[in-house]
Each structure stands twice: as structure tokens, then as C-alpha cells.
Amino acid sequence: MATYTLPELPYDYAALAPVISPEIVELHHDKHHAAYVKGANDTLEQLAEARDKDQWGSINGLEKNLAFHLSGHILHSIYWHNMTGDGGGEPLEKDGVGELADAIAESFGSFARFKTQLSKASATTQGSGWGVLAYEPVTGRLIVEQIYDHQGNVGQGSVPLLVFDAWEHAFYLQYKNQKVDFIEAMWNVVNWQDVAKRYASAKERANNLLLAP
């Protein structure tokens, strides 16, 4: 049976500096992200053992662990590609991402209003979590989600397009307790080309969510 693997970074550790230091990128990817991959694989093994032995006393904890670690792995895998050292600004038609720019304006009123909502959602997540721009397939609109840990408060079926990691391990070594400063700096490394590709892909697969037979 296939297992989850830690993806390689699409750039070197120093590529996102000065927004994110090389030390943080290395620790975040090689230690924290790797731990979620290991946790997901370990949980799959424990679930397989439970099936083999028909012992289900730990099922609630195992299902929660799988959701936590798997969601952590998926969100981090998107996170690395959502960033680039020569990114930032806002999506513009002249850069080939006009469809995404139009969708943001239609869903949020303007890019500025979207930026404020995602920044506030990321910075005010209680404890550990994420701010996420997602494609919601039922209405075909973009929404902002505030995710607790990795898996809480998620609209079923929504597809993450742009994710801001607001866990302390993403910024504390560099920004200390100034999460707001980190979130603001993140806008300087957003890879709009990657976000636009994810948006186009999500729209193509929107009909995969069946609300009725």
C-alpha cells in the first residue's frame, strides 16, 4: 500500500529570505513537515493493525490523528509551492493570472478587501492554525477559511489554493510573538502563478462533488 512521502522543496533554504530565514525553512520542512508525514504513515499502520485484530478501542483517536497529520502534510505541501523569492504584489492580468484576479474581485469586492480578510483570519486563529483561500465548488466562489490546527473548521469539498501557516513554528525564531508582522511579510513571497494554476484546476474538477445522485 502506498505511503506518504516528504516532498522536496522547490527552492533552496535561502530562497525566501529575508521574509523567511533559511533556518526556519530548513526546520519547518525537514522537521515539522516530516513529522506530519511520519505521523500519517504511523497512523495508517495502526489502523491496519486494528482491522487485522478487529480491535477498535482506539478508533476515535486514530481517526483524529490521521486527519491531523494528513491535513498537516497536505497543507504544508501546498504552502511550499505557494511561495517564491520573486513573488508578492497582487495577481494581475498582465502577468497571466487575470482569471484569478477577477475571481478574487468578484468574491471579495476587491483585492484589498480579500487581503485584509485573509490576513485577519490568519493572524487571529486561536492557538495554532492556518488562513486559507479556497475554492468552494457548490457556488463556484472563493472563500477564506480559518483552520484550527490543520483540519478544524474546514468546509467540506473546498479546495485550498493559498495557505498562510500561522503556527508558531512557521515564524517564531524570526518574528518572535509578532504573528501579525509575519503575516504581512508573507504577502511579499506569494507565488500567484501557483495559486492561479490551483484555481484553474479546482474549477475543472468542481463537478466531482456530488450533492445528489
Side-chain angles (χ1 to χ4, degrees):
M1 182 179 295
T3 57
Y4 301 106
T5 58
L6 179 68
E8 294 185 3
L9 287 171
Y11 35 69
D12 61 40
Y13 295 137
L16 303 177
V19 173
I20 306 178
S21 70
E23 181 183 17
I24 288 180
V25 174
E26 181 177 6
L27 288 171
H28 196 167
H29 176 267
D30 295 3
K31 301 299 182 182
H32 291 281
H33 188 174
Y36 299 128
V37 172
K38 183 179 185 303
N41 289 329
D42 288 349
T43 306
L44 287 179
E45 291 182 3
Q46 293 168 38
L47 284 166
E49 182 179 357
R51 291 192 297 271
D52 290 342
K53 297 181 178 180
D54 197 24
Q55 294 179 352
W56 301 104
S58 301
I59 185 63
N60 287 345
L62 290 174
E63 294 291 358
K64 182 177 180 180
N65 285 345
L66 182 60
F68 176 85
H69 290 295
L70 179 54
S71 295
H73 170 44
I74 291 172
L75 288 170
H76 279 92
S77 297
I78 297 170
Y79 179 68
W80 303 123
H81 287 275
N82 273 171
M83 298 182 289
T84 177
D86 57 358
E90 62 180 277
L92 299 172
E93 185 176 358
K94 69 180 182 65
D95 297 322
V97 291
E99 187 175 359
L100 173 65
D102 291 344
I104 288 175
E106 182 177 355
S107 296
F108 299 99
S110 69
F111 177 79
R113 291 177 180 178
F114 154 67
K115 180 179 178 181
T116 298
Q117 184 175 344
L118 182 56
S119 294
K120 295 294 185 181
S122 303
T124 60
T125 302
Q126 294 179 342
S128 300
W130 301 71
V132 175
L133 170 68
Y135 176 76
E136 198 285 288
V138 176
T139 60
R141 66 177 293 123
L142 299 178
I143 61 173
V144 165
E145 295 182 322
Q146 187 181 57
I147 299 178
Y148 292 174
D149 292 331
H150 301 307
Q151 77 280 20
N153 285 15
V154 178
Q156 297 299 315
S158 60
V159 180
L161 309 177
L162 173 63
V163 299
F164 279 11
D165 191 343
W167 282 63
E168 285 191 346
H169 65 236
F171 64 88
Y172 200 84
L173 287 177
Q174 186 173 354
Y175 293 85
K176 306 307 180 190
N177 63 335
Q178 300 302 313
K179 183 190 294 187
V180 172
D181 292 345
F182 170 66
I183 297 302
E184 183 61 30
M186 276 288 299
W187 290 102
N188 295 318
V189 293
V190 173
N191 184 349
W192 291 115
Q193 298 293 330
D194 180 70
V195 179
K197 290 177 182 177
R198 295 179 187 280
Y199 173 60
S201 178
K203 286 182 61 180
E204 290 177 1
R205 299 176 305 188
N207 292 332
N208 289 348
L209 180 64
L210 299 179
L211 299 185

